[in-house]
Amino acid sequence: MKIQLTKKASQKIRKKNPLIQPEDLQTKISDIPKEYLTFLDERGEILGTGYLGKQNKGIGWLISYEALKINKTFLHELFQTAVTKRKKFFQNNETTAFRLFNGEGDGFGGITIDYYAGYLVISWYNETIYALKEELLLTISEVLSDNLGIVEKIRFQSDLPESNWYIGEKPAEPWLVKENGINYATYLDEGYMTGIFLDQKEVRKRLASGLAKEKKVLNMFSYTGAFSVAAAVGGAGTTSVDLAKRSLDKTREQFEVNQISLEKQKIVVMDTFEYFKYAKRKGFSYDLIILDPPSFARNKKKTFSVAKDYGRLIAESLKILNPKGQIIASTNASNLTLKKFRQSIEKSLDEQGVTYQLKETFRLPQDFPVAAFEESNYLKVLFYEIKK
């Protein structure tokens, strides 16, 4: 089947942006075909091959910038290239969990594959790619014939379970992986998340390698405490705060698998903004505050949006930050550019009348290659030094 795109969309694709938006379609379709398609420009000339599939960003992907058949030979070369690029990760015994295939960054949008010490975690982001998955899975299994098992995550709206063990025996859990020599407890078949966000490996490495030494670190929206563990390895005393009750046991476990005493590590189950008030009331203060909220969150009383509310996080952090303290501001909101994210942070800092300096910026690590559009490079982590 052939799908014609608008002139504007054709120009975008010729600049190697593979993401197709609903407004890019010149051909009107009533139902999304679950098959590979040939895309044409406004004059009817071939742009390439891909598919349509509605997901949280866009409605389809170009896979090849020429007309060709997406078959086993094509897929084998695609996945083999991705594996070859990660050769140094496979050879590194100190890091046994990493992104093996990063969707559009590796040439095929709508699918990601993470490697967890022999197990593969595959995420499907739209119905079409899920319908086409069998040949993909077969090829992946052949390229990585020594994988111990595959679990799949359904990341599109569906009646299917979020997580499904596809093949192989489940490991005894927690399944321990290493990252820069630090142990992390993971659960491969518990909903969308496994217990660690692999895209933050460089930030954790920075914390573990001296940035947090002898500092009091506050880790907000701490989830399972991965930042806290890295900071503790680097010589810090930490406080981990998250609203979810499960964060307490999960964070304890992360410290335990690294034989780190909880004596200097506190874990608090509380709403972030309530903890800011509590800490100020108790006279608590910190040398380093880590802010890594979800892009959007809702509890019984209120909602939080990175785009609207990050400045408030910064303002509240300053009230309990020690002189010459640091703030690590992070977001994975793909709809927020690095420029706008930085502006929102620095607007809040300016309003509070402090002197500050942006010391370091982190984006996606090497195993997360990106495509030629802003949303693909979604991670933004800014290290600020604050002088009150």
Side-chain angles (χ1 to χ4, degrees), residues 371-382:
F373 64 102
E374 181 72 30
E375 296 95 327
S376 186
N377 196 2
Y378 60 83
L379 184 66
K380 297 159 279 282
V381 188
L382 307 180

Side-chain angles (χ1 to χ4, degrees), residues 133-375:
K133 72 173 186 175
E134 292 305 325
E135 190 172 36
L136 289 161
L137 285 169
L138 178 62
T139 310
I140 292 164
S141 296
E142 289 178 355
V143 172
L144 281 177
S145 57
D146 59 345
N147 76 80
L148 301 173
I150 297 175
V151 61
E152 56 182 10
K153 310 290 184 180
I154 310 302
R155 295 183 178 271
F156 56 89
Q157 190 170 357
S158 169
D159 293 331
L160 296 166
E162 291 179 356
S163 184
N164 174 54
W165 199 266
Y166 181 76
I167 194 171
E169 292 187 16
K170 292 185 181 182
E173 292 182 320
W175 182 242
L176 295 187
V177 299
K178 282 185 177 294
E179 181 189 272
N180 299 311
I182 301 172
N183 292 320
Y184 291 97
T186 66
Y187 293 80
L188 304 185
D189 196 21
E190 282 191 3
Y192 291 142
M193 298 187 288
T194 63
I196 185 173
F197 296 114
L198 299 179
D199 52 6
Q200 293 278 15
K201 62 169 59 67
E202 296 300 329
V203 179
R204 287 189 290 268
K205 182 178 180 180
R206 188 73 179 87
L207 288 167
S209 62
L211 180 70
K213 187 175 182 180
E214 298 181 356
K215 292 180 180 178
K216 290 193 294 182
V217 173
L218 176 61
N219 180 14
M220 302 299 259
F221 307 94
S222 58
Y223 182 37
T224 66
F227 283 135
S228 301
V229 170
V233 169
T238 68
T239 299
S240 306
V241 179
D242 198 288
L243 181 61
K245 291 182 180 179
R246 66 177 182 175
S247 67
L248 181 61
D249 290 337
K250 293 286 190 182
T251 303
R252 280 177 180 160
E253 184 176 57
Q254 298 289 21
F255 284 117
E256 288 167 357
V257 298
N258 288 285
Q259 293 81 49
I260 296 173
S261 169
L262 293 177
E263 185 179 349
K264 294 183 178 180
Q265 321 303 330
K266 297 179 182 179
I267 308 166
V268 181
V269 178
M270 188 181 291
D271 172 78
T272 295
F273 287 102
E274 290 302 316
Y275 185 80
F276 281 129
K277 296 176 185 177
Y278 172 78
K280 187 178 180 183
R281 190 167 64 247
K282 290 289 187 177
F284 297 160
S285 61
Y286 301 91
D287 304 305
L288 173 61
I289 298 177
I290 303 167
L291 303 172
D292 185 30
S295 298
F296 181 83
R298 178 186 285 115
N299 62 31
K300 294 179 180 178
K301 297 181 180 180
K302 52 195 170 185
T303 61
F304 176 87
S305 165
V306 163
K308 295 180 180 179
D309 300 315
Y310 211 101
R312 191 155 61 101
L313 273 181
I314 296 294
E316 293 299 317
S317 296
L318 292 175
K319 295 176 184 178
I320 56 173
L321 184 70
N322 286 330
K324 296 184 179 180
Q326 292 176 293
I327 292 176
I328 296 179
S330 173
T331 183
N332 64 355
S334 61
N335 62 341
L336 187 66
T337 65
L338 175 62
K339 181 179 179 180
K340 289 184 177 180
F341 182 51
R342 180 175 176 177
Q343 286 175 342
S344 71
I345 294 167
E346 295 183 2
K347 179 183 178 184
S348 182
L349 291 171
D350 289 337
E351 288 173 347
Q352 302 307 310
V354 298
T355 301
Y356 57 88
Q357 183 178 2
L358 177 61
K359 302 292 287 187
E360 296 180 72
T361 300
F362 287 82
R363 304 302 300 271
L364 286 170
Q366 190 176 2
D367 51 324
F368 284 72
V370 301
F373 64 102
E374 181 72 30
E375 296 95 327

Side-chain angles (χ1 to χ4, degrees), residues 11-23:
Q11 292 172 341
K12 177 182 67 176
I13 284 174
R14 289 194 173 98
K15 293 178 181 178
K16 305 303 180 184
N17 180 342
L19 180 61
I20 299 169
Q21 300 285 2
E23 62 270 20

